[in-house]
Structures are given as structure tokens and as C-alpha cells.
Amino acid sequence: MTLHPLVSMILHRLALGLLTLFAISLFIFFAIELLPGDLAEEVLGQSATPETVEAFRRELGLDQPAMLRYFNWLGGVVRGDFGTSLANGRDIAELLAGRFANTLFLAIYAAAIAVPLSITLGLLAALYRGSWFDRAVNILTLTSISFPEYFVAYILLLYFSVTWGLFPSIADFGSDADLSTMLFRTFLPALTLVLVVTAHMMRMTRAAIINLLAQPYIEMARLKGASPVRVILRHALPNALAPIVNVVALNLAYLVTGVVIVEVVFVYPGLGQLMVDSVAKRDIPVVQACCLIFAGIYILLNLGADVLAIATNPRLMHRK
Amino acid sequence: MSDTLLTIRDLRIEGRQGDIWQPIIKCVDLDLRRGEVLGLIGESGAGKSTLGLAAMGYSRDGTRISQGSVTFDGMDLLGMSERRRRGLRGKRIAYVAQSAAAYFNPAHRLIDQYAEAPTSIHRLIPRGQAEQEAREIYAQLRLPNPDEIGFRYPHQVSGGQLQRAMTAMAMSCKPDLIIFDEPTTALDVTTQIEVLGAIRDVVRELGTAAIYITHDLAVVAQMADRIKILLRGEEVEEQPTRDMLAAPKEEYSRSLWAVRSFTSEEKSAPASDEVPVIRVRNVTAEYVRGAPVLDDVSFDIHAGHTVAVVGESGSGKSTTARAITGLLPPVAGAIELDGAALPAQLAARSKDELRQVQMIYQSADTALNPKQTIREIIGRPIRFYLGLRGKAQEEKIRELLSAIELEPDQFIDRYPAALSGGQKQRIGIARALAAEPRFIICDEVTSALDQLVAEGILRLLKRLQEERGLAYMFITHDLATVKAIADYVVVMQKGRVVEQGPKGQMFSPPHHPYTKLLLSSVPEMDPDWLDTTIQDRKKG
Amino acid sequence: MTSISLKSVPLTALFGIVVITGFLLTGLFADLLAPFAETEIVGMEFEPWGGDYLLGTDNLGRDMLSRLIFGARNSIGIALATTVLAFTIGTALGLLASVLGGLTDQALSRLVDMLIAIPSLVFALLLLSIFGTSILMLVLIIAMLEMTRVFRLSRAVAMNVVVMDYVEAVRLRGEGLGWLVRREILPNIMAPLVAEFGLRFCFVFLAISALSFLGLGIQPPTADWGSMVRDNAALITFGDITPLLPAGCIALLTVSINFVVDWMLHRASGLKD
């Protein structure tokens, strides 16, 4: 059976992604084994009697060999069962579900604004490179990527919420809010994220286009009488898609996995905040679960970017 | 309608170097009539391409037209708005570049790029008509499968075909003038002749005027009605082609012709029982298992002799060098040095074995470490192989610099960036000599250099060979170089040796069919050469 | 080419150089500059600006200005140590991979691919939850994460040099690995590596300060800008900008570095043509 080269390449990448995810799950699980003691001792601390530690160990299944525990855990994960939290004994899958939805909502909200905005700005900056517009955008975005997220978040909070009272400072919208309430209440965290990722994506878009402007085929387009807009959109952009798609994927991944800070500042009940709380409490099963989900999303997005990059490259799509 | 199509007067163009503007073109005039082909020749840095682009009112980033006028069909190209200039480009003046592979956009099919100017940009004809015309002109340019080749992407088409497709693209709006900028320089000789023929026929049939830019005199002799010679941004002289070939007026023009006449006497064959310095014995090598890039290659190189290995790109000549140096160990056969087998792997060779085999590279730019001075570049092998340090090392460096005709005091502390192309190549030679080798591989050492400079390098290599009894292996695609320096010639094609023998024998019939094709494809000064050769091939 | 006249430096880069120098000096001479000791409780909690305490006091009654000054030493010092560590390991491995090629390159590259496939903040959180939060752990973990990026860059730029004919000439001569790396490759990749050092430092600095802000990085009572934002964050809801001061210091330093690096990269690309 012969497959289209694109299909076989996607399958190849998919297999590679699964392999990476498997390797990460191994890492996540066995990193704990590197501890001098074990989980039970770590959690209960110095003061616990050997009997309690022993009992706790049995409860966690730590008396079984690590390999067996790993496959039990992995088997559970595949079925959607992440075990129970050490801190409050609740089912982890249940704990995650709602928060994961919240994190995704915020990420999509921010992405819907940031992606079109940054690509448009990037193309404009490339078109008018060297102009005052380009220079101003350069300084602004350079500043914006240098700021810690919480700095941006607190400035927005100070003005939009405390001083002007336009938007709420706490982004929790409860369980039965309608869409417009949700969008309103999460406006400030979304805006923070937009500011942070737009700068990066816009700079990379501009750089990807400008990199290509020195290419001979761009000179050819100019010598055929093409206008500057046509040169950028028809001749540079198609060849810059792969790096642009890549940087968009990277930033989308960031929107899902890097929102921790923003969630903490605006007290938003997302996955990131849960993870931070769990790290502080050393609730390791929950941390492992969050970590695996984040890694999965990250790999999925990169996979998507790879496939898109292949699909837009005629060298790979149309073999000799 | 006046007969004059293009007039350039008192044109000056400057290029920026750091904060200063340096002249590239200094006061050049140019006239072109409708349907006429003007050949523009000169060495690298003469400003040919810059002048060609200026004829379109175009200057590259970092260059500017500082003075003068360009008048195209009565219109002032430099004075008009950029929008109006764009309206002329591609439509009435078109451009054909040297490297079609780089000048075609990899993201679009050939036909889309052909149709862009007449349909989307200048809106002259509908798409369907553009496609129809593309097929006709592809056929005229003798492209295979003219009906479907346009629907391929640039990477799916060979270099020679791409160059013709680019000529077709330039023709798409039926322009009055086409600028050809070295359109065949990047091609192998056997491909070049076809492209030259195709371009000339089309230009003649459509009566398009052209400026044909090249550094190759023999090529321009076939293509141009008149020839203009440029040197460092200034005109040397201009004459009708046949007059220029018969009687160049200026000293510089004559020197360009003279280069071709440099040849050396073939040395007598070595005694039959003499052990060669290097023997390549039945070598087969491969990068991928089961796909040999060298197939049973054998030849000998004797002390004091030069063996030229000739072939087109992909023939395996550079791979042979890699096998000899140990970078690509053969899967079968062996390399012998003075009758004893050399270890196949580089890592297994002794310091003395390494010392005996040295290499000089094609591009002197990438062959010298830009962060080391000449003293370090030449001094290191002296210390590494001969163990000389301090004063002895310094003396040896100076001795070598003198041997390659560079003044030691002036050059010893320079970095490569402060040297000309020819000087860099000489440093490359000195570095090889520093090891006191018996055998040197010269990989296309003159092909990146201008003819006069190249000739100097060849004479130097010849002299060093006589003084030191060196054996050379000369890798080249240029038959003029072979004539100039070789004693013995090995012709390669697709990883095999198709013919080998002493130079005199190789350049006189009877030939192996491939050698014949190769020899007959090299352009000659005779303006009728192209016609005669194409006629001959049709007959034969 | 090596001498740079002050006039040719753009305003943004000049600003950056001044700020970076200022912060470095502040960090070095923190003991002399600070009016109070790093952890000394000098007054009431959250005292306003002015008077004895120029910028007021923090949530425990420590002098804000003194803690900002000591913060310069701690925050920059720790980030610098981490970056140096990440660079040493990353560059060494990157050069090794590019020069040796083959299996070494494959093994190192695949390992780094895997490490990079985990988002770094998440990875850091996982490791911190397992190993606990101490400055040593923090430095080691962040250095290991950033090392992967340094590896990729140094391998890529070294690869461009390794394919040069002069490197082949050196190999054919029979030179050892040490000469090849030190004399032939390193001098030719210094410029991009120096620029990368600036950018990496920013990333490291922001990552550590983010962790500190979350209470998982540099631990009290050490004065550190990230944790200082966290400690005083409550003030913001009263419209008091004090918590923005340490955050502003972080922003100012990273902006400055980015300005300087941007100029360096621009110069390097400008010199090419």
C-alpha cells in the first residue's frame, strides 16, 4: 500500500509525538524515585512514626515495585483516572475537568484577539520597515516582551480596575454565567495575555518576512513590476508560513501552559493555579497529572504546527 | 517611432560600504537600438549587473543612482514616479537572472509565475490566454512537455530547463528589452549550449532588444551584435562583435583575449617501472549503501606531473578527492602512496602520511579561517608537521610568502578579509606547501577567479611544481584550464572514468563519445561557432 | 571596525548600557548604598513613602529601598550564576555534537528534543515539587532547562562553521578536537553566543522571578524582587504602587538588556552586507 507522502509524514510525526509523550510520562513518574527517601516520608515529614509512614506507604501502594506502579498509573491515565489527591483525597480527574475548561476558555479568548492582531501588525511592520511606525512598534514590543507578566497584570489591574473601576479585579465567574459575563469578567487576564504574546508573535512574523526580502525571487518579483504589498503578500508570505505557524503554535502552547502567573494575579480558577497550589502543598499526584496534560497539549500543538508547515511547503507536498 | 530604444548618459551609481558611498559605475554611456543585442562583459566587480539593473531604473538595496539619465523609448526612467516605473518593469523591460533556481519563487508553479506579470500585475490579457501563450513559448524554447511543464514547481525542474522557463517568463508580456544577466554561467557546458541556442533563436524571432551580461568572451561572441567592455565601473571600449574579436583597440581588451593562449608543454610520460606518488586502484565509494558514487575508478599520478580530472557536476571528481584524503573511505579498492597502501580512514593515517597529501580549495573565502592572521594560518602546519617554533617557524613563513610572490612584511599580520581573491588563493597554496607535501589536490582552484588572476595562479602552481617536483591532481570542469596545465587527463561521468590518457592524445580524435560532446560544447571565439555546432549535432 | 564611536550607538542601546551598569554597581555596592540591613525590621508594616523610609516599609516593616538595593544583588546574582552554568554546559555539548556528529549528535539532539517538548515552567514546577525549593535546586533546575536552548543555538551556529573548507583542512591536517574547537570554531561563533547570553539571561531572570512571585523560587527572608512583588501585592488593591517598584526594576533591567542585544544583532547583520 502506498500512502501520500504527506499522510506518511503526518503518521511519522504522530508516532514521534506519542513516543515523546511516553518518555515524558516515564520521566514524570520516575523523577520521584530520585528522592533520597520516598513519597511517604516526604509528605509526612520527620516527625511521623515509622508505623504511620508504613501504613501510608501501603495506602499509596509504595510497597509494590516501581515498574508495576508505573504501569498501573499509566493504565489509569489512559482510562482518564489520575488517582486521588494527597491533600484532600478527591478524585483528580474531577478536580481537573472544570479547571481545564477554564484555562482553555481564557487561552482561546486571548488567542482569538492576539493571533490576527499580531500577524497583521507584523506584516505592516515588514511592509513599512525602517519607518517611524516600524521603529515605534519595535521599541514597544521589545519593551513588552521584557516585562514580567505580573508587572503587566498589576498595571492593568491598577488602572482598569482600581483607578477607573471598569473591569473586575477578580476573574472568577462562577458556574452559571453566560458568555458575555464570562468575557467581561475575564477581560483583564485576557488582555494581559494578549499584550504578552502579541509582541512575540508580531516580532517573529516581521522577522520571518524580512528574512526573505533578501531572497533573489523577491528581487525578481520587483523586477516584474509587482507592488510592495503584492511582494509581501504573494511572494514573501507563502514562504514565511512555516516559521509563522511555528511561532503561533509556540505562543498558543504558552497561552495554555504559561498562564499560571496571570491566573494567580486575577485569582482565576484554572489549571495553572491548581498546579501552583499543589506544588506548594507537595500534592505530587496532582502535579504529575497537570504536568502530563500540559505536556500533551504542548506536543499536540507542535505536531499541528509541523503538519501545517509540511502542508504549506511545495517541496514536501510535490516530490520530484 | 524612433529607432533608439534605450539611451544611458553619464550614469553614476554608488554603493554603501559602512557609512561611505563608493562609486560602482563611474560615468557610463550606453545606446541600444530596437531589436539589437548588446554584449556587456567584464570581470567580477566591473559593475555589469548594476548597470544592467539600472537600465530598468532599478537599484538594489545599499546602492543608489547618483547622477545621469536613463531614457527608455523617450521616457525618463529615473525622473518618473516609482508607480510608473513599476508599470514598465516586467511589461516592457524584463530581466533574466543567473541562477534561475534562486530567482524562481519556490512556493508557486512555473505557469503561475509566468502568468503573474501579464495578468495580475499589468492586466494585459486573461489568464487562459496567458497559459496558452506560455505553452507556445515553452515549445519555442524547446522545453520538454511544453503543455504540462508549467504546472510543476521550480524544484521539480532541472537547472537548464529552469533557465529556459525564466527566459519564457521574461517574454510573457512581449517586452521591448530583456536584460540577460549571466543566464548560462551556472550551467554545465553541455547544457549551456542548448540554452544559448534556445535564447538566441527566440530573441531573433521576436525581434526583442537585449543586453547580454557575461564574463565569458566566447559566449558573448555568439549572442551579441555589439560588445561593450567594462572595467571597474568604466567603459574600456565598444565595437561591433566581429571587429572587437578581430582587432581589440585597448590594452585591457587584448589582455582578456591573451589569457586563452596560456598553455604548457606536455611532459614526457614517466618510465613504465616508476612508482607513482599516488595510485587510485579500483576505488568504489558510496554515501548510501548500494548506490556507488564512484565506480571502479583507477588512475596514477607521478611525481612532477599534473593529472586533470574533468567532468560535469555530479561526475564524481570531488568525491574522488574525498576518497584519496580519507574523508570518504572506499568500500572497495585502495589508495596507494609511493607504492604502499594508505589506511582508508583519515583517523588511521600517520602524521607523515597526512603531511604528504595536501589540498587547495575552490573558494578561498571559505578555505581560510577569517579569525586567524596569515602568520597563524601558515605557521600552524609548519609547527604541527615539521615541529619548527619561534624564529625557525617565522623564517619558514616568510620564505613561503616569498615563494607565493607576496611581500612577507606587508602580508604576514593581515586577516583574510584584507586580501583579494587571488591573494587568498595564494595563501591557500602556501598553507599546503607548509607541510612540504609530495602531492597536492587542487579542487577547482581557479574557477571562482577572474581570468587574469586565474592565469597568475596557474603559472605559480606550474613554477612550484618544477621547483619542488610536486604531483598535482587538478579537479576542474574547465577545458581551458586542462589545456593550460595538465600532462594527463582523466574524464569522468556519473562516477566512472570514461576515458583517460596523455593530454595530446585526449585533445585529438578519435574521442570517446562523451569526451567528444564535452569538447565540442566549449564555446569558441568564432561568432559562427554556435550555429556550426548546432548544425553539426543535428546532422550527426 | 572594532572601535565604536559613541555617536553611532542608538539612544535605546545607550539607555540600556547606562541602566545595566547602574544595576550592576548597585548590586556590587549594596552594603554601602542601602540605608538599612537586608532583613532588619525597622518600623511598622506598610509605612507610607517619605520620612526615614524613602519608599516606605514592606509587609513585615522592613525598609523597602534597602530591600530593593539588596534585591539587585540577590536577584541578578542568582540569575547570572544560572545563566553562566546553562551556557557552559549548553555550549560544551553543542560544540561536541556539531564537531563529532554521528551518534553523539543524534543522542544529544534527541535528548534535548525531549526536554524541550515539556513546557519549561511546568517542568520547573514538577521538579520543584519533588526536590523542594532551595536556591541551589532552583539554579540547577533552571540551568538544565535553559541549557537545552543554548545547546540548540550553539550547535546550529557551530554547524555553519564545521562545514567550512578551513575546518576540513584542519581535520585533514590531523589536528585534535581541542584545537578544532578552541582555535577554529569558537572564535567564529562568539558574536551570536554573546547576544544569546543576553537573551538567555533575560529568560532566566524572568523565570526565576516568576517562580519567586509564585512563592516557589527564592525564599524569605532573602530580599528578591520577584518575592517582594508577591509579599506586597495586597497594596495594589488600595491603589498603592509600591509592589510595582520591584516589578519595575525587573522590567527595566530586561528591557535594557533587550535594547542592547537588539542593537548588537542589528550591527552584526548590518556588517554582513
Side-chain angles (χ1 to χ4, degrees):
Chain A
M1 191 179 73
T2 56
L3 290 168
H4 188 277
L6 182 66
V7 176
S8 67
M9 212 174 295
I10 291 173
L11 288 178
H12 179 237
R13 295 291 155 101
L14 199 65
L16 212 64
L18 278 176
L19 196 69
T20 315
L21 200 58
F22 177 68
I24 290 171
S25 76
L26 273 174
F27 182 84
I28 290 173
F29 191 84
F30 285 99
I32 302 167
E33 305 295 319
L34 296 173
L35 283 175
D38 67 11
L39 195 57
E41 286 174 25
E42 281 287 322
V43 170
L44 296 176
Q46 298 280 317
S47 54
T49 61
E51 289 78 30
T52 20
V53 173
E54 198 49 45
F56 191 53
R57 232 176 235 155
R58 247 195 316 280
E59 193 192 320
L60 292 176
L62 287 179
D63 46 349
Q64 291 169 327
M67 244 4 221
L68 190 67
R69 276 186 288 125
Y70 170 71
F71 282 110
N72 281 338
W73 177 69
L74 195 66
V77 167
V78 172
R79 291 193 311 270
D81 172 16
F82 289 90
T84 52
S85 157
L86 288 183
N88 50 25
R90 286 177 55 191
D91 184 59
I92 295 177
E94 245 171 64
L95 206 60
L96 294 181
R99 289 179 169 257
F100 185 49
N102 286 348
T103 295
L104 272 188
F105 171 75
L106 191 55
I108 293 169
Y109 188 1
I113 302 173
V115 173
L117 181 69
S118 53
I119 290 179
T120 312
L121 280 177
L123 289 176
L124 284 176
L127 187 58
Y128 298 110
R129 63 200 170 283
S131 69
W132 63 266
F133 169 76
D134 182 31
R135 264 177 247 161
V137 165
N138 181 39
I139 291 180
L140 261 169
T141 51
L142 206 52
T143 309
S144 160
I145 51 171
S146 315
F147 280 5
E149 292 109 320
Y150 49 84
F151 188 49
V152 180
Y154 277 130
I155 292 178
L156 292 179
L157 198 147
L158 180 67
Y159 287 103
F160 283 89
S161 175
V162 178
T163 312
W164 300 330
L166 295 174
F167 294 96
S169 67
I170 292 180
D172 195 354
F173 47 67
S175 54
D176 49 357
D178 60 5
L179 186 64
S180 63
T181 320
M182 283 163 76
L183 290 177
F184 174 71
R185 296 201 67 97
T186 52
F187 179 76
L188 285 184
L191 184 61
T192 311
L193 289 173
V194 167
L195 286 178
V196 173
V197 296
T198 298
H200 189 229
M201 281 194 281
M202 182 252 136
R203 286 179 75 83
M204 296 303 281
T205 305
R206 177 185 180 278
I209 297 278
I210 287 188
N211 256 339
L212 291 177
L213 292 184
Q215 292 292 323
Y217 56 79
I218 296 295
E219 178 165 84
M220 193 70 218
R222 292 189 183 131
L223 292 174
K224 279 158 82 177
S227 65
V229 174
R230 188 176 178 84
V231 167
I232 299 257
L233 292 184
R234 169 118 184 122
H235 290 272
L237 188 57
N239 293 292
L241 278 180
I244 292 176
V245 163
N246 247 317
V247 78
V248 168
L250 200 72
N251 278 282
L252 290 182
Y254 169 84
L255 283 179
V256 179
T257 63
V259 291
V260 183
I261 305 267
V262 174
E263 289 183 0
V264 169
V265 170
F266 293 99
V267 204
Y268 184 75
L271 210 50
Q273 210 194 28
L274 174 69
M275 187 166 180
V276 173
D277 289 345
S278 307
V279 173
K281 287 186 236 160
R282 308 197 75 176
D283 191 347
I284 287 173
V286 178
V287 177
Q288 285 175 325
C290 293
C291 205
L292 202 60
I293 290 179
F294 281 142
I297 292 175
Y298 199 79
I299 289 171
L300 204 66
L301 281 167
N302 279 322
L303 185 73
D306 273 0
V307 171
L308 262 176
I310 293 167
T312 56
N313 185 342
R315 278 170 202 275
L316 298 175
M317 282 295 279
H318 308 269
R319 291 305 179 83
K320 281 203 173 170
Chain B
M1 200 156 88
S2 105
D3 190 40
T4 308
L5 183 65
L6 179 75
T7 315
I8 294 179
R9 283 288 169 270
D10 189 24
L11 187 72
R12 289 157 203 255
I13 301 176
E14 298 174 336
R16 189 167 56 202
Q17 287 189 325
D19 296 332
I20 335 161
W21 290 92
Q22 298 277 9
I24 301 174
I25 295 289
K26 311 162 194 162
C27 188
V28 170
D29 294 347
L30 186 150
D31 291 282
L32 192 66
R33 289 192 301 277
R34 287 178 198 281
E36 187 186 34
V37 179
L38 174 74
L40 209 54
I41 59 176
E43 305 184 326
S44 57
K48 314 182 288 285
S49 297
T50 314
L51 183 58
L53 289 170
M56 305 181 76
Y58 182 88
S59 54
R60 289 194 167 129
D61 287 344
T63 67
R64 66 177 185 199
I65 298 172
S66 57
Q67 204 187 320
S69 67
V70 179
T71 313
F72 175 78
D73 201 13
M75 293 173 283
D76 175 12
L77 264 190
L78 301 182
M80 67 176 60
S81 70
E82 178 64 22
R83 178 182 285 270
R84 275 196 65 204
R85 262 200 298 272
R86 280 209 302 271
L88 291 175
R89 284 184 200 142
K91 182 168 140 194
R92 298 201 56 200
I93 320 174
Y95 182 76
V96 176
Q98 172 174 355
S99 162
Y103 274 81
F104 266 115
N105 193 327
H108 303 299
R109 295 175 306 177
L110 296 180
I111 192 98
D112 297 327
Q113 303 194 49
Y114 174 94
E116 189 184 10
T119 61
S120 310
I121 299 177
H122 301 294
R123 301 181 194 284
L124 301 171
I125 48 173
R127 168 79 189 202
Q129 191 187 340
E131 280 188 18
Q132 187 49 41
E133 289 180 8
R135 293 192 178 104
E136 287 163 16
I137 201 155
Y138 287 156
Q140 230 173 339
L141 283 160
R142 299 193 281 278
L143 277 164
N145 300 324
D147 287 342
E148 45 158 298
I149 194 164
F151 294 91
R152 298 201 199 159
Y153 284 90
H155 70 273
Q156 296 171 308
V157 177
S158 77
Q161 293 171 7
L162 218 47
Q163 206 68 49
R164 273 176 274 178
M166 174 156 283
T167 306
M169 184 162 83
M171 298 274 181
S172 63
C173 294
K174 315 260 178 334
D176 303 277
L177 170 64
I178 301 183
I179 316 290
F180 289 97
D181 192 352
E182 306 248 14
T184 61
T185 307
L187 304 177
D188 281 325
V189 275
T190 52
T191 318
Q192 166 171 282
I193 186 168
E194 293 167 25
V195 177
L196 282 180
I199 288 179
R200 199 186 51 181
D201 292 351
V202 169
V203 168
R204 275 188 191 165
E205 269 167 51
L206 298 181
T208 316
I211 295 180
Y212 196 99
I213 299 168
T214 178
H215 68 280
D216 191 333
L217 292 157
V219 166
V220 84
Q222 313 308 316
M223 308 301 284
D225 302 316
R226 274 187 301 141
I227 295 178
K228 185 196 273 294
I229 301 179
L230 286 183
L231 174 65
R232 287 185 223 105
E234 282 174 295
E235 178 180 323
V236 176
E237 66 173 307
E238 184 186 312
Q239 286 197 59
T241 301
R242 282 175 198 273
D243 298 347
M244 180 72 96
L245 294 175
K249 288 187 194 121
E250 299 294 322
E251 177 88 27
Y252 176 73
S253 317
R254 277 197 294 276
S255 77
L256 287 178
W257 268 248
V259 176
R260 296 260 157 178
S261 57
F262 170 68
T263 53
S264 65
E265 280 301 301
E266 178 189 328
K267 288 193 196 73
S268 53
S272 57
D273 57 345
E274 189 188 311
V275 179
V277 177
I278 286 285
R279 167 165 283 170
V280 178
R281 192 160 51 76
N282 306 104
V283 165
T284 299
E286 50 193 34
Y287 288 109
V288 183
R289 192 174 288 271
V293 282
L294 289 183
D295 191 357
D296 197 23
V297 171
S298 298
F299 56 88
D300 292 348
I301 305 172
H302 288 269
H305 281 244
T306 300
V307 171
V309 179
V310 195
E312 298 185 292
S313 51
S315 62
K317 37 190 209 306
S318 290
T319 314
T320 309
R322 288 175 69 82
I324 295 175
T325 55
L327 285 172
L328 181 67
V331 289
I335 311 292
E336 290 171 10
L337 175 71
D338 288 325
L342 270 177
Q345 297 275 355
L346 177 64
R349 295 186 183 177
S350 72
K351 210 178 217 184
D352 197 55
E353 286 164 339
L354 292 171
R355 184 178 68 78
Q356 300 287 5
V357 179
Q358 292 294 313
M359 182 128 182
I360 309 172
Y361 294 88
Q362 166 175 11
S363 167
D365 284 324
T366 61
L368 305 179
N369 188 337
K371 300 285 181 188
Q372 292 179 357
T373 61
I374 305 307
R375 178 184 273 113
E376 291 172 284
I377 290 170
I378 304 179
R380 179 60 189 177
I382 294 175
R383 179 164 168 188
F384 186 82
Y385 288 125
L386 314 177
L388 298 182
R389 294 169 184 235
K391 219 171 155 209
Q393 186 188 16
E394 179 80 7
E395 265 170 30
K396 181 83 186 169
I397 298 173
R398 287 171 176 275
E399 182 193 314
L400 283 167
L401 281 174
S402 305
I404 56 164
E405 297 153 17
L406 293 180
E407 175 54 45
D409 287 328
Q410 210 185 329
F411 286 95
I412 195 160
D413 287 315
R414 285 201 197 173
Y415 285 94
L419 301 178
S420 70
Q423 289 166 344
K424 280 183 208 167
Q425 200 54 286
R426 282 168 192 260
I427 299 299
I429 294 172
R431 177 174 62 189
L433 290 179
E436 302 193 339
R438 302 201 46 217
F439 169 62
I440 300 180
I441 299 172
C442 304
D443 188 356
E444 300 271 12
V445 289
T446 55
S447 58
L449 301 173
D450 289 328
Q451 291 181 27
L452 281 174
V453 181
E455 188 204 346
I457 297 288
L458 290 183
R459 285 186 200 277
L460 173 67
L461 284 169
K462 196 81 205 163
R463 199 197 80 217
L464 291 168
Q465 180 174 53
E466 276 155 20
E467 289 170 7
R468 300 171 192 231
L470 292 165
Y472 289 150
M473 172 172 147
F474 231 89
I475 297 172
T476 184
H477 68 278
D478 178 25
L479 292 174
T481 309
V482 176
K483 266 184 190 155
I485 199 160
D487 300 306
Y488 191 87
V489 182
V490 176
V491 182
M492 291 189 74
Q493 186 194 19
K494 292 178 192 150
R496 289 167 169 274
V497 174
V498 293
E499 194 179 8
Q500 58 177 306
K503 177 166 70 176
Q505 182 188 321
M506 294 299 286
F507 278 102
S508 48
H511 298 296
H512 179 276
Y514 179 71
T515 314
K516 187 179 172 193
L517 178 70
L518 211 55
L519 285 172
S520 68
S521 298
V522 179
E524 289 169 19
M525 278 314 170
D526 174 11
D528 301 321
W529 167 82
L530 187 60
D531 291 324
T532 325
T533 313
I534 291 177
Q535 286 299 326
D536 282 355
R537 288 200 183 168
K538 278 188 188 144
K539 272 187 254 156
Chain C
M1 287 295 182
T2 43
S3 70
I4 305 153
S5 71
L6 217 58
K7 253 194 252 166
S8 69
V9 184
L11 223 59
T12 47
L14 213 57
F15 166 82
I17 293 168
V18 170
V19 171
I20 294 168
T21 319
F23 272 123
L24 288 179
L25 291 178
T26 312
L28 277 177
F29 300 106
D31 300 300
L32 302 174
L33 292 169
F36 298 96
E38 185 178 349
T39 56
E40 185 188 354
I41 295 175
V42 293
M44 299 292 293
E45 292 140 34
F46 295 134
E47 283 194 40
W49 292 21
D52 285 343
Y53 319 114
L54 204 59
L55 297 175
T57 59
D58 72 358
N59 59 328
L60 295 178
R62 295 169 295 194
D63 179 52
M64 198 70 196
L65 178 64
S66 304
R67 285 188 66 79
L68 275 180
I69 291 172
F70 280 104
R73 171 183 290 181
N74 298 331
S75 306
I76 298 176
I78 290 170
L80 204 58
T82 311
T83 317
V84 169
L85 188 64
F87 246 76
T88 317
I89 302 173
T91 313
L93 292 181
L95 286 173
L96 216 59
S98 65
V99 174
L100 295 180
L103 262 163
T104 318
D105 184 26
Q106 282 294 319
L108 284 172
S109 295
R110 291 297 83 76
L111 183 72
V112 163
D113 282 352
M114 208 195 79
L115 286 176
I116 281 185
I118 313 178
S120 49
L121 186 62
V122 172
F123 203 5
L125 287 177
L126 172 77
L127 293 176
L128 285 172
S129 77
I130 293 168
F131 296 109
T133 48
S134 69
I135 289 183
L136 181 68
M137 263 305 145
L138 192 68
V139 169
L140 289 180
I141 289 171
I142 303 286
M144 191 184 80
L145 293 176
E146 288 300 314
M147 175 277 280
T148 55
R149 269 93 183 163
V150 179
F151 169 85
R152 280 203 170 168
L153 179 93
S154 57
R155 177 180 172 278
V157 290
M159 279 293 185
N160 289 337
V161 176
V162 164
V163 298
M164 289 287 172
D165 288 338
Y166 61 79
V167 173
E168 188 185 301
V170 165
R171 285 184 201 261
L172 289 181
R173 193 188 299 151
E175 296 275 9
L177 198 63
W179 176 278
L180 195 63
V181 168
R182 269 188 308 113
R183 303 302 298 271
E184 309 290 336
I185 298 176
L186 259 185
N188 285 296
I189 62 171
M190 272 325 270
L193 282 187
V194 168
E196 177 70 5
F197 188 89
L199 292 182
R200 276 304 126 207
F201 174 81
C202 286
F203 274 100
V204 167
F205 191 57
L206 287 174
I208 293 182
S209 83
L211 288 171
S212 299
F213 172 76
L214 295 173
L216 305 168
I218 300 168
Q219 297 296 313
T222 310
D224 160 74
W225 290 341
S227 1
M228 285 167 72
V229 180
R230 170 195 176 83
D231 292 343
N232 301 292
L235 286 178
I236 205 93
T237 43
F238 303 106
D240 184 336
I241 63 157
T242 308
L244 291 184
L245 289 177
C249 287
I250 294 170
L252 193 60
L253 181 62
T254 45
V255 169
S256 303
I257 293 174
N258 269 313
F259 279 162
V260 175
V261 168
D262 193 48
W263 166 61
M264 282 168 57
L265 290 176
H266 191 77
R267 247 174 65 86
S269 70
L271 286 181
K272 252 185 262 162
D273 48 46

